[in-house]
Amino acid sequence: MSLMAHFVRLPHSNLARTGVGAAVGLAAVATLSVATLSNPRLVQTLGNELSAGVQQVKTVAAMLAERSPGERPEGALASLKPKRQAMLSDHGIPKVHAPSPTAYEALAGPPPMAPVAPPPEVPLYNAVGASPVPVPLGVAATPGTSGGGPPVLSNIPLPGGGGGGGGAFTPPIITTATPEVPQTPATPVPEPATWAMMIFGFALIGRAVRQMNIAGPKPAFD
Amino acid sequence: MRGGVIALASAALAATAAAWAFDTLKPEAHAARPAAPEQPLSGDRIYLTKAQLDGAIAGGTLDRPVKSLLAVKAPLHFGDYSWDERGVPAGSTWVRVDLRSQLISVFRAGHEIGTAVIVYGGDNKQTPSGRLHILGKARDHRSSLYDAEMPYTLRLTDDGVAIHASSVRWGAATHGCIGVPPAFAERLFDAAKVGDEVVVVGRPSQRPA
């Protein structure tokens, strides 16, 4: 705008006249373009006329091919659903899964060949028999540490061992060896204590649910 | 300065007037298009010229006169369809199924009123081609052979080949039936009647190797 004002101040200059003429021409063209483009119907009609002209040159086959998703690939991609009879025969067979290794087995690798019987010189349950092995008082709480049992996998003193005192205290066996894989496999049937704990847990949940039902509003579908 | 302002204003006025005049004159200009001998229908249509129609019939794309096709802007995807019967007069209905381009087109009174992507018979269960007729209609059909719902069934042959609603997706095939999208199948079911002709062309096994 300052340029225009500069030219206008010199009305008799040829340069100013040329500049004003060019500016007016540019403005007219710009205004015409804006007016044309801002009319969506005009633009659409122009586009339609153009496309109609193009469509009148195309063949019908070309127009149909343009909307087509293409030919279907041969063979393998044409999947068919199986018939019902074939599906039923599959349903009758139970699925057989290979046992998958547990996370512990995956970490520890294949289990070592466990001896069928424990070493004969260390009877496992003699501690509760008629001739118990004399066990010092401080270690009595942990029967696994008595005698020649399995080594204790610990670097810290056993609880109770320090407090009991007495001359009969044996220091805990400290080992830094890698933990051995337990040689007796876990039985699939839970121990009675596990059963009791589970039943107690269910009872606890049931009691909580009952209390919630008593305290809160009853559900609508009850 | 004054001359510039006046020129600018007159240019803007002229442009606006031109745009307005075009809007006003547009219907006359549209009606004067030579390619549409009849009153043009609403919606986007492509009216075929005589040369186009003659070429299509000579090339085997069409087997009878067609006045207009739907203007489908972009390629249809699996499951897409287009339907526009606004202003199309009553008349004979026929269906064109093109297996090669995987398209179905429904015509009434010479105008295309609907088109969709289809799925058709697999290589071991091919869809029969040729001139077929709609032998029966069943809105809620259930196939006892395949234990599947086949709504809006238009039966074409005595052994069960039909046009029916199906899950139209890429890579799928049928046991010989022509599967169309469910919404399209409903419209086609309402538009077609028993006895209408269905022309199935472009069987893949007839392609030159």
Short mmCIF file of all heavy atoms in Angstrom, two decimals, chain A residues 100-128:
data_model
loop_
_atom_site.label_atom_id
_atom_site.label_comp_id
_atom_site.label_asym_id
_atom_site.label_seq_id
_atom_site.Cartn_x
_atom_site.Cartn_y
_atom_site.Cartn_z
N SER A 100 3.02 -78.52 28.01
CA SER A 100 3.96 -77.43 27.81
C SER A 100 4.83 -77.28 29.06
O SER A 100 4.35 -77.47 30.17
CB SER A 100 3.21 -76.13 27.55
OG SER A 100 2.37 -75.86 28.65
N PRO A 101 6.11 -76.96 28.91
CA PRO A 101 6.97 -76.83 30.09
C PRO A 101 6.57 -75.61 30.92
O PRO A 101 6.17 -74.58 30.38
CB PRO A 101 8.36 -76.64 29.48
CG PRO A 101 8.10 -76.11 28.12
CD PRO A 101 6.81 -76.71 27.67
N THR A 102 6.67 -75.77 32.22
CA THR A 102 6.38 -74.64 33.09
C THR A 102 7.53 -73.64 33.05
O THR A 102 8.58 -73.92 32.46
CB THR A 102 6.17 -75.11 34.53
OG1 THR A 102 7.40 -75.69 34.97
CG2 THR A 102 5.06 -76.14 34.62
N ALA A 103 7.30 -72.50 33.65
CA ALA A 103 8.33 -71.47 33.64
C ALA A 103 9.58 -71.94 34.39
O ALA A 103 10.71 -71.66 33.97
CB ALA A 103 7.79 -70.20 34.27
N TYR A 104 9.36 -72.67 35.48
CA TYR A 104 10.52 -73.14 36.26
C TYR A 104 11.33 -74.13 35.45
O TYR A 104 12.56 -74.08 35.41
CB TYR A 104 10.01 -73.77 37.55
CG TYR A 104 11.13 -74.27 38.43
CD1 TYR A 104 11.81 -73.38 39.26
CD2 TYR A 104 11.52 -75.59 38.41
CE1 TYR A 104 12.86 -73.81 40.05
CE2 TYR A 104 12.56 -76.04 39.18
CZ TYR A 104 13.23 -75.14 40.01
OH TYR A 104 14.26 -75.57 40.77
N GLU A 105 10.60 -75.02 34.75
CA GLU A 105 11.31 -76.01 33.94
C GLU A 105 12.06 -75.35 32.80
O GLU A 105 13.16 -75.76 32.43
CB GLU A 105 10.31 -77.03 33.37
CG GLU A 105 9.80 -77.99 34.42
CD GLU A 105 8.66 -78.83 33.89
OE1 GLU A 105 8.16 -78.53 32.80
OE2 GLU A 105 8.28 -79.77 34.58
N ALA A 106 11.45 -74.30 32.25
CA ALA A 106 12.11 -73.61 31.15
C ALA A 106 13.39 -72.93 31.63
O ALA A 106 14.38 -72.88 30.90
CB ALA A 106 11.17 -72.58 30.54
N LEU A 107 13.38 -72.44 32.88
CA LEU A 107 14.56 -71.78 33.41
C LEU A 107 15.63 -72.78 33.82
O LEU A 107 16.81 -72.58 33.58
CB LEU A 107 14.18 -70.91 34.62
CG LEU A 107 13.51 -69.58 34.27
CD1 LEU A 107 13.08 -68.89 35.54
CD2 LEU A 107 14.48 -68.71 33.49
N ALA A 108 15.19 -73.84 34.45
CA ALA A 108 16.16 -74.78 35.02
C ALA A 108 16.64 -75.80 34.01
O ALA A 108 17.57 -76.53 34.28
CB ALA A 108 15.54 -75.52 36.22
N GLY A 109 16.03 -75.85 32.86
CA GLY A 109 16.43 -76.84 31.89
C GLY A 109 15.79 -78.18 32.20
O GLY A 109 14.90 -78.28 33.06
N PRO A 110 16.21 -79.20 31.51
CA PRO A 110 15.62 -80.52 31.76
C PRO A 110 15.95 -80.99 33.17
O PRO A 110 17.06 -80.79 33.66
CB PRO A 110 16.28 -81.40 30.69
CG PRO A 110 17.52 -80.67 30.29
CD PRO A 110 17.22 -79.22 30.46
N PRO A 111 15.00 -81.60 33.84
CA PRO A 111 15.25 -82.05 35.21
C PRO A 111 16.26 -83.20 35.22
O PRO A 111 16.30 -84.01 34.30
CB PRO A 111 13.87 -82.53 35.67
CG PRO A 111 13.13 -82.81 34.41
CD PRO A 111 13.64 -81.88 33.39
N PRO A 112 17.12 -83.22 36.23
CA PRO A 112 18.09 -84.32 36.30
C PRO A 112 17.39 -85.63 36.59
O PRO A 112 16.26 -85.67 37.03
CB PRO A 112 18.98 -83.89 37.47
CG PRO A 112 18.10 -83.03 38.30
CD PRO A 112 17.17 -82.32 37.35
N MET A 113 18.13 -86.66 36.28
CA MET A 113 17.56 -87.98 36.50
C MET A 113 17.50 -88.23 38.01
O MET A 113 18.51 -88.48 38.66
CB MET A 113 18.42 -89.06 35.82
CG MET A 113 18.51 -88.86 34.31
SD MET A 113 16.89 -88.82 33.53
CE MET A 113 16.43 -90.52 33.68
N ALA A 114 16.32 -88.16 38.54
CA ALA A 114 16.16 -88.28 39.98
C ALA A 114 16.23 -89.74 40.40
O ALA A 114 15.67 -90.61 39.73
CB ALA A 114 14.81 -87.70 40.40
N PRO A 115 16.96 -90.03 41.47
CA PRO A 115 16.95 -91.42 41.97
C PRO A 115 15.56 -91.78 42.48
O PRO A 115 14.83 -90.95 43.01
CB PRO A 115 17.98 -91.39 43.10
CG PRO A 115 18.05 -89.96 43.50
CD PRO A 115 17.78 -89.15 42.27
N VAL A 116 15.25 -93.00 42.26
CA VAL A 116 13.90 -93.45 42.63
C VAL A 116 13.74 -93.44 44.14
O VAL A 116 12.74 -92.99 44.67
CB VAL A 116 13.66 -94.86 42.05
CG1 VAL A 116 12.29 -95.34 42.47
CG2 VAL A 116 13.78 -94.82 40.53
N ALA A 117 14.75 -93.91 44.85
CA ALA A 117 14.65 -93.97 46.30
C ALA A 117 15.67 -93.02 46.90
O ALA A 117 16.71 -92.78 46.30
CB ALA A 117 14.92 -95.39 46.80
N PRO A 118 15.40 -92.49 48.06
CA PRO A 118 16.40 -91.66 48.73
C PRO A 118 17.57 -92.52 49.18
O PRO A 118 17.46 -93.75 49.25
CB PRO A 118 15.62 -91.07 49.92
CG PRO A 118 14.49 -92.00 50.13
CD PRO A 118 14.14 -92.55 48.78
N PRO A 119 18.70 -91.89 49.44
CA PRO A 119 19.85 -92.66 49.91
C PRO A 119 19.49 -93.45 51.16
O PRO A 119 18.86 -92.93 52.08
CB PRO A 119 20.89 -91.57 50.22
CG PRO A 119 20.46 -90.39 49.42
CD PRO A 119 18.99 -90.49 49.28
N PRO A 120 19.89 -94.72 51.19
CA PRO A 120 19.44 -95.58 52.30
C PRO A 120 20.03 -95.17 53.64
O PRO A 120 19.43 -95.42 54.68
CB PRO A 120 19.89 -96.96 51.86
CG PRO A 120 20.99 -96.71 50.89
CD PRO A 120 20.68 -95.42 50.21
N GLU A 121 21.24 -94.53 53.63
CA GLU A 121 21.85 -94.24 54.92
C GLU A 121 21.19 -93.05 55.61
O GLU A 121 21.45 -92.81 56.77
CB GLU A 121 23.37 -93.98 54.76
CG GLU A 121 23.74 -92.77 53.95
CD GLU A 121 23.82 -93.04 52.45
OE1 GLU A 121 23.37 -94.10 52.03
OE2 GLU A 121 24.32 -92.16 51.72
N VAL A 122 20.32 -92.31 54.88
CA VAL A 122 19.65 -91.18 55.52
C VAL A 122 18.14 -91.43 55.45
O VAL A 122 17.51 -91.04 54.48
CB VAL A 122 20.01 -89.85 54.84
CG1 VAL A 122 19.39 -88.68 55.58
CG2 VAL A 122 21.51 -89.70 54.76
N PRO A 123 17.62 -92.15 56.38
CA PRO A 123 16.16 -92.33 56.37
C PRO A 123 15.48 -90.98 56.64
O PRO A 123 15.88 -90.24 57.54
CB PRO A 123 15.89 -93.33 57.47
CG PRO A 123 17.09 -93.31 58.32
CD PRO A 123 18.24 -92.83 57.50
N LEU A 124 14.46 -90.70 55.82
CA LEU A 124 13.86 -89.37 55.85
C LEU A 124 13.01 -89.14 57.09
O LEU A 124 13.04 -88.08 57.67
CB LEU A 124 12.99 -89.18 54.60
CG LEU A 124 13.68 -88.55 53.41
CD1 LEU A 124 12.70 -88.43 52.27
CD2 LEU A 124 14.29 -87.22 53.76
N TYR A 125 12.25 -90.11 57.44
CA TYR A 125 11.23 -89.88 58.46
C TYR A 125 11.57 -90.54 59.80
O TYR A 125 10.71 -90.81 60.60
CB TYR A 125 9.88 -90.38 57.96
CG TYR A 125 9.48 -89.65 56.71
CD1 TYR A 125 9.51 -90.31 55.48
CD2 TYR A 125 9.11 -88.31 56.74
CE1 TYR A 125 9.17 -89.64 54.32
CE2 TYR A 125 8.76 -87.64 55.60
CZ TYR A 125 8.79 -88.29 54.38
OH TYR A 125 8.47 -87.64 53.26
N ASN A 126 12.83 -90.76 60.00
CA ASN A 126 13.20 -91.38 61.26
C ASN A 126 13.05 -90.42 62.44
O ASN A 126 13.03 -90.84 63.58
CB ASN A 126 14.65 -91.86 61.19
CG ASN A 126 14.67 -93.31 60.72
OD1 ASN A 126 13.62 -93.88 60.46
ND2 ASN A 126 15.87 -93.87 60.61
N ALA A 127 12.97 -89.14 62.13
CA ALA A 127 12.89 -88.18 63.22
C ALA A 127 11.60 -88.34 64.00
O ALA A 127 11.55 -88.00 65.18
CB ALA A 127 12.97 -86.76 62.68
N VAL A 128 10.57 -88.84 63.36
CA VAL A 128 9.32 -89.02 64.10
C VAL A 128 9.15 -90.47 64.55
O VAL A 128 8.12 -90.86 65.05
CB VAL A 128 8.12 -88.62 63.22
CG1 VAL A 128 8.13 -87.13 62.97
CG2 VAL A 128 8.14 -89.38 61.90
#
